[in-house]
Amino acid sequence: MRWHIIRLSEVGSTNDIARELAEAGHPEGIVVVARRQMRGRGRLGRGWASPEGGLWFSVLLRPRLAPADLSKLPIVASLAVARALRRLYGLPAELEWPNDVLVRGRKVCGVLVESAFSGREALFSVVGIGVNANFGLEALPGELRGRATTLRELLGHDVDLEELLNAILSELGACYLALKEGKGSELLREAERLMGFPRPLSVACGGRVFSGTALGLAEDGSLLLRLPDGAVRAFSWAEATIKKP
Ligand code: BTN
């Protein structure tokens, strides 16, 4: 995969800029990187604190994939980040469904994939990736500090953001190629291994909370949860989120 990197200083959200470029007809492979985001977005309408020192970027893809493979994209993107953090820094990076990257239980990276469709076919997907890198926890809102971490906190030093971007893009390119070659199930199994199943988990979905044992991932990336009555229910990442105790 050949990447074309566009570097910006301060933006609202890199996902918005990548989307505008997609709508203007630009090809896949464009990467929009910003030093700071003023209106960074997270999943499910949440904000995403994006101070200077983080790695905030969005990748434009035009995936010609079957719906079941397209829905693996967010998990595959977080897998690419976990691989890069393991390879570059030897960190024990793990995944939390659907697409958070954690180290020792604290979130170091979030992924937000936004797609536009014509019928069931994706016109484009914007894969937004935010890595808390070269800043301390004090740069994050108070309510996040107990659950988040940064590479500076984990490693005790700052990292080379260029090197990190290149490593993530290289892993993302390899994962995207594997997805296109029909190896999506292998990627899901790798992601599952980094999610620590089976384990007790609560999921918020449609205003209700479901507690049970998380067993693994369905082929479309949904989370399989065994409920106390023994039934196994699949939760889609588009509408559900993990509920912390
Ligand atoms: C989440 O964990 O809720 C997802 C966070 C995704 C943040 C990244 S930072 C780059 C891109 N631009 C955004 O506005 N969001 C994503």
Side-chain angles (χ1 to χ4, degrees):
M1 186 86 197
R2 282 183 70 80
W3 304 109
H4 174 71
I5 300 179
I6 299 175
R7 290 168 203 286
L8 300 170
S9 172
E10 190 175 291
V11 301
S13 158
T14 53
N15 265 35
D16 290 342
I17 293 173
R19 170 180 284 268
E20 283 162 21
L21 293 171
E23 285 167 351
H26 286 269
E28 70 173 356
I30 287 180
V31 181
V32 180
V33 194
R35 286 158 66 96
R36 215 147 72 97
Q37 298 186 115
M38 304 313 283
R39 287 182 304 281
R41 283 202 305 279
R43 283 182 67 237
L44 307 174
R46 295 185 282 230
W48 179 260
S50 314
E52 189 152 357
L55 180 61
W56 321 124
F57 67 102
S58 300
V59 177
L60 169 58
L61 298 177
R62 294 192 179 274
R64 298 167 69 90
L65 296 171
D69 279 333
L70 188 65
S71 61
K72 295 185 182 74
L73 207 49
I75 292 175
V76 162
S78 59
L79 174 63
V81 175
R83 280 186 183 178
L85 296 182
R86 285 172 169 262
R87 174 159 65 80
L88 277 184
Y89 315 120
L91 286 171
E94 297 182 334
L95 299 180
E96 183 166 83
W97 184 86
N99 43 28
D100 292 345
V101 183
L102 313 187
V103 176
R104 299 186 191 101
R106 286 169 174 248
K107 179 162 167 174
V108 70
C109 166
V111 173
L112 175 67
V113 177
E114 298 175 311
S115 300
F117 292 89
S118 163
R120 278 162 67 87
E121 193 183 332
L123 297 173
F124 63 84
S125 294
V126 169
V127 180
I129 297 180
V131 186
N132 298 336
N134 299 337
F135 54 85
L137 281 181
E138 68 287 348
L140 293 175
E143 68 273 15
L144 294 182
R145 286 182 205 154
R147 291 186 175 147
T149 189
T150 72
L151 293 179
R152 180 189 284 174
E153 300 279 338
L154 289 165
L155 298 168
H157 59 79
D158 284 356
V159 299
D160 181 337
L161 293 182
E162 279 308 297
E163 184 183 42
L164 177 57
L165 175 65
N166 287 333
I168 295 173
L169 288 177
S170 142
E171 296 291 354
L172 185 64
C175 287
Y176 186 47
L177 183 65
L179 207 51
K180 287 196 284 192
E181 287 174 344
K183 297 179 186 150
S185 298
E186 288 167 41
L187 297 173
L188 272 197
R189 301 291 83 83
E190 183 181 343
E192 261 181 341
R193 286 195 292 277
L194 295 178
M195 288 187 183
F197 299 128
R199 66 182 181 110
L201 214 62
S202 295
V203 173
C205 181
R208 290 177 63 191
V209 175
F210 301 84
S211 296
T213 305
L215 301 175
L217 301 175
E219 234 353 79
D220 65 353
S222 299
L223 178 74
L224 298 171
L225 193 70
R226 184 164 52 223
L227 300 171
D229 66 3
V232 176
R233 180 169 169 165
F235 291 89
S236 151
W237 50 263
E239 54 190 22
T241 190
I242 287 183
K243 181 117 179 61
K244 301 284 172 148

